[in-house]
């Protein structure tokens, strides 16, 4: 009887773990590029040299970066347009191949514009949104890369 009790307990534990894995938030459960595959490089589109940098030292323009997060790892494609010292537009592209993770990424992507448009690039950090608990790490990683890209080269 002891073996039967242990087997039921072990099965219950495994079943609970399997049921919780898809609920891990914004994780990519086997989808997306592996660490050995290449991730698209970041890029930026800068305005003509006549544009001036903002008071924060960021130049107006459109910038793009791939944010990395999680143990998968997982990725988000983030594009930000800066105009007159504030974020004028933002898009977040979901890159997960796993259906559950893709759902979290898409809901997160839809919630981000309300959180960051109209804010300075320095204020563009987000936390848990739309039930996605780890997607913010990928978004914030991409924002940090975009800050580096957008820094004014004129000494500001």
């Amino acid at each position: 009887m002891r073996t039967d009790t242990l087997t039921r307990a072990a099965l219950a534990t495994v079943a609970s773990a399997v049921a919780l894995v898809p609920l891990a938030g914004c994780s990519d459960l086997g989808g997306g590029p592996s660490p050995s595959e290449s991730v698209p490089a970041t890029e930026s589109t800068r305005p003509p040299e006549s544009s001036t940098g903002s008071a924060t030292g960021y130049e107006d323009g459109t910038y793009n970066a791939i944010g990395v997060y999680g143990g998968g790892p997982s990725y988000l494609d983030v594009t930000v347009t800066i105009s007159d010292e504030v974020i004028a537009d933002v898009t977040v592209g979901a890159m997960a191949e796993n259906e559950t993770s893709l759902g979290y990424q898409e809901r997160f992507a839809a919630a981000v514009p309300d959180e960051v448009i109209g804010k300075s690039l320095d204020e563009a950090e987000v936390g848990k949104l739309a039930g996605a608990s780890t997607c913010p790490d990928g978004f914030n990683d991409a924002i940090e890369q975009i800050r580096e890209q957008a820094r004014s080269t004129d000494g500001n």
Side-chain angles (χ1 to χ4, degrees):
M1 293 291 180
R2 175 136 164 89
T3 304
D4 187 36
T5 304
L6 289 175
T7 302
R8 277 190 245 161
L11 282 173
T13 302
V14 170
S16 296
V18 169
L20 292 177
V21 167
L23 302 176
C26 202
S27 63
D28 190 328
L29 303 173
S34 70
S36 62
E37 293 175 358
S38 64
V39 176
T42 60
E43 58 188 56
S44 67
T45 305
R46 292 192 182 241
E49 299 234 358
S50 62
S51 293
T52 59
S54 69
T56 59
Y58 299 120
E59 297 215 18
D60 287 355
T62 299
Y63 303 91
N64 177 263
I66 303 296
V68 180
Y69 66 97
S74 298
Y75 307 94
L76 288 173
D77 182 4
V78 179
T79 302
V80 173
T81 300
I82 302 168
S83 178
D84 295 327
E85 301 184 33
V86 298
I87 295 173
D89 192 30
V90 62
T91 57
V92 178
M95 298 178 73
E97 292 176 12
N98 171 281
E99 190 174 321
T100 301
S101 296
L102 184 61
Y104 281 110
Q105 287 184 346
E106 288 172 340
R107 288 187 296 277
F108 176 82
V112 167
D114 290 340
E115 296 295 317
V116 300
I117 290 178
K119 292 184 177 180
S120 73
L121 194 55
D122 288 332
E123 296 175 313
E125 298 249 345
V126 298
K128 181 178 179 179
L129 294 175
S133 59
T134 58
C135 285
D137 296 339
F139 177 81
N140 293 335
D141 177 57
I143 289 295
E144 185 57 39
Q145 294 173 52
I146 289 169
R147 286 182 188 122
E148 291 299 317
Q149 293 174 29
R151 290 205 199 290
S152 174
T153 58
D154 66 2
N156 280 346

